[in-house]
Amino acid sequence: MPITPATATHSTSNGTADAILLELVDENGVTIGTAEKLAAHQPPGQLHRAFSVFLFDKHGRLLLQQRAIGKYHSPGVWSNTCCGHPYPGEAPFAAAARRTYEELGVSPSLLAEAGTVRYNHPDPASGLVEQEYNHLFVGLVHTPLAPDPQEIGATAFVTPAELAERHARDTFSSWFMTVLDAARPAIRELTGSSAGW
């Protein structure tokens, strides 16, 4: 994983990782404190700040990722291009750009805010809960991907019809349809009506 200013502050000098802290928020998205990442996802879940990225190629196809099998939360399931949590004090836009590069090895040629969505999604497989105030971003990717295998098991660019087929056949993250539906107005504006989103 590339070391960035944000990630560098979360490693100790002896190489062991500090606990990763998330930003806790109220129902309006105002920061009210912090919590350790895993603790924030234990039932019933603590409302925290998150982000979701949807990147598209020049043909208007959505980039999906399959989460690596080794992930502690929702391993092996398909989801949107990138998602995660800003570090406390980190702007959601900066976190989205950082994690997209760390996970996929690309910087979007365009990344724009697409609103927010608040949800509460238990994950039956892990027993964890996604209680999130999620900042949405849409953008374009024009360069070859270089996925980090510790984060991503596979990637795929899909049309709306191909997504519908895959969603009916494969397992997706519990939050996927919620964030996709919330981002659709911005996705349509980005990709145009002919893309079918």
Side-chain angles (χ1 to χ4, degrees), residues 62-137:
L62 171 61
L63 174 57
L64 298 177
Q65 71 154 275
Q66 185 181 35
R67 294 166 63 86
I69 293 296
K71 302 275 280 185
Y72 80 95
H73 188 354
S74 302
V77 304
W78 287 90
S79 198
N80 50 294
T81 307
C82 179
C83 55
H85 309 93
Y87 293 124
E90 183 182 24
F93 183 92
R98 171 180 60 79
R99 283 305 290 167
T100 299
Y101 181 79
E102 290 172 354
E103 292 188 8
L104 292 155
V106 295
S107 295
S109 58
L110 170 74
L111 191 64
E113 294 183 10
T116 59
V117 63
R118 193 264 196 248
Y119 54 79
N120 177 2
H121 285 299
D123 177 40
S126 67
L128 300 176
V129 176
E130 287 291 2
Q131 184 91 246
E132 293 185 331
Y133 187 93
N134 197 303
H135 297 257
L136 307 171
F137 298 92

Side-chain angles (χ1 to χ4, degrees), residues 14-82:
N14 65 6
T16 61
D18 288 336
I20 296 174
L21 296 178
L22 305 186
E23 214 170 68
L24 300 181
V25 298
D26 66 15
E27 294 292 337
N28 298 310
V30 177
T31 303
I32 58 172
T34 60
E36 191 276 324
K37 183 177 180 180
L38 189 56
H41 290 87
Q42 298 289 340
Q46 294 174 279
L47 184 59
H48 57 274
R49 195 177 309 285
F51 63 83
S52 289
V53 177
F54 297 85
L55 295 184
F56 296 82
D57 68 7
K58 64 182 179 181
H59 305 292
R61 297 180 304 169
L62 171 61
L63 174 57
L64 298 177
Q65 71 154 275
Q66 185 181 35
R67 294 166 63 86
I69 293 296
K71 302 275 280 185
Y72 80 95
H73 188 354
S74 302
V77 304
W78 287 90
S79 198
N80 50 294
T81 307
C82 179

